Amino acid sequence: MSTNSKNQDSPIAKQTRAQAQSGEQRFSVRSGYAYELGNTDTFKRITELEIAIGPNPLEGLEKKKLYFALKRVADIAFSVIFFILFWWLYVLVAILVKIDDPKGPVLFKQTRIGKDGKPFKMYKFRSMCVDAEQRLGELKDLNEKTGPVFKIADDPRITKVGRWLRKLSLDELPQFFNVLKGDISIVGPRPALPNEVATYTPYQRQRLAVKPGITCYWQTRRNRDSITFEEWVDLDLLYIKNCNVWADIKLIIQTVGVVMTAQGS
């Protein structure tokens, strides 16, 4: 796997430098592991992230075998305990999904790309209409994200119950089955779609060096929908560089806070 890094005159650096010079600003500035609200321009944020990541975010991963072994044990234990405590929540959500849209299945299965580019089926509670993927083409011009990711604030394909499931992050619950299977971990970069990975640069493909996860730095940011795809990738690479037990515990705690305050989207 390539470990090429961005150089100082990368396309995104040129683009963001131009945005900064034109006065265009966005919110959220890096502070340690977290992003906090602020008015620092995009170019400065990306520059700070690149410095924090360094020339090779994958350096030292081969020395973390014990960490990854402990992480796998923790993933299994956490998932089993979660199922025991919240089995009733799975039943309740399944009933609500079926009542809201009885024509479709309760679960939504989609091919995602895991560690080292290996595809797998990811599970979610269905939050969209049955023909959501077929209707994607007619909505592409409304995409509000940069890069290969598709996301719009008021997606007309989302069902009434689905909107609440996403707000409370309950649509993600079936992914604990993926954790048990070993497809993903609880903490790690979010698994991308095959068509997204197909457009990755060698720098972006470094996201695939570790197992993807249910949550990571981007998912715990208060203003995450204003973060560009390039910054999202940088946050994932920052996690890969710094991944350790304490970082994972902090991210799980932060994710619980996001869920409890209904910051999902």
Side-chain angles (χ1 to χ4, degrees):
M1 181 174 293
S2 172
T3 57
N4 293 346
S5 63
K6 297 180 189 173
N7 57 49
Q8 294 180 346
D9 295 319
S10 63
I12 184 60
K14 291 179 180 178
Q15 176 185 348
T16 50
R17 186 182 297 110
Q19 291 173 339
Q21 291 171 347
S22 68
E24 180 180 343
Q25 293 185 331
R26 293 176 49 230
F27 294 94
S28 66
V29 57
R30 180 175 175 271
S31 175
Y33 284 136
Y35 261 63
E36 297 172 352
L37 294 180
N39 60 359
T40 304
D41 60 77
T42 305
F43 174 66
K44 182 177 180 181
R45 293 204 313 273
I46 291 180
T47 301
E48 288 177 339
L49 271 171
E50 290 181 358
I51 293 172
I53 293 168
N56 185 6
L58 306 186
E59 187 175 10
L61 282 182
E62 70 280 356
K63 299 177 182 179
K64 296 185 176 183
K65 292 181 179 179
L66 178 59
Y67 158 71
F68 287 114
L70 291 174
K71 184 172 185 173
R72 179 60 185 148
V73 172
D75 282 342
I76 295 172
F78 189 98
S79 298
V80 170
I81 293 172
F82 191 90
F83 287 138
I84 293 173
L85 293 177
F86 297 104
W87 62 267
W88 56 270
L89 187 56
Y90 283 83
V91 174
L92 176 61
V93 172
I95 292 172
L96 292 175
V97 170
K98 202 62 179 176
I99 291 175
D100 185 46
D101 187 5
K103 295 180 181 179
V106 168
L107 291 179
F108 173 69
K109 302 175 185 178
Q110 189 177 52
T111 300
R112 296 291 181 109
I113 302 299
K115 184 177 182 294
D116 297 330
K118 182 181 178 181
F120 68 95
K121 288 291 184 183
M122 190 178 80
Y123 310 117
K124 299 179 77 172
F125 279 121
R126 186 170 59 86
S127 60
M128 289 188 172
C129 57
V130 178
D131 60 346
E133 292 193 300
Q134 287 72 33
R135 293 174 57 186
L136 179 60
E138 65 191 59
L139 300 171
K140 280 192 173 181
D141 291 341
L142 302 176
N143 190 14
E144 298 170 359
K145 297 295 291 183
T146 59
V149 179
F150 177 83
K151 193 175 184 66
I152 55 178
D154 297 312
D155 196 320
R157 300 172 300 165
I158 300 177
T159 63
K160 292 179 181 179
V161 167
R163 199 166 300 280
W164 281 103
L165 293 182
R166 290 184 168 213
K167 190 73 175 174
L168 299 171
S169 300
L170 296 177
D171 59 317
E172 312 281 358
L173 289 178
Q175 288 170 42
F176 282 102
F177 288 105
N178 288 116
V179 174
L180 280 179
K181 289 173 59 183
D183 298 325
I184 65 176
S185 183
I186 292 174
V187 181
R190 286 297 290 162
L193 293 164
N195 63 303
E196 295 172 354
V197 173
T199 69
Y200 279 5
T201 64
Y203 179 82
Q204 293 165 346
R205 285 192 66 86
Q206 293 179 106
R207 296 179 77 240
L208 308 179
V210 298
K211 277 186 183 180
I214 295 177
T215 187
C216 202
Y217 288 156
W218 181 84
Q219 283 72 27
T220 61
R221 304 289 69 85
R222 289 179 56 193
N223 209 31
R224 60 183 178 271
D225 285 337
S226 70
I227 296 174
T228 66
F229 175 71
E230 289 76 16
E231 291 173 273
W232 186 348
V233 170
D234 282 344
L235 284 169
D236 286 341
L237 295 184
L238 183 65
Y239 167 76
I240 291 172
K241 177 182 178 179
N242 296 319
C243 61
N244 56 65
V245 173
W246 177 234
D248 289 351
I249 292 173
K250 286 175 64 178
L251 281 166
I252 291 172
I253 293 172
Q254 290 172 352
T255 300
V256 171
V258 169
V259 172
M260 295 300 291
T261 53
Q263 296 181 39
S265 61

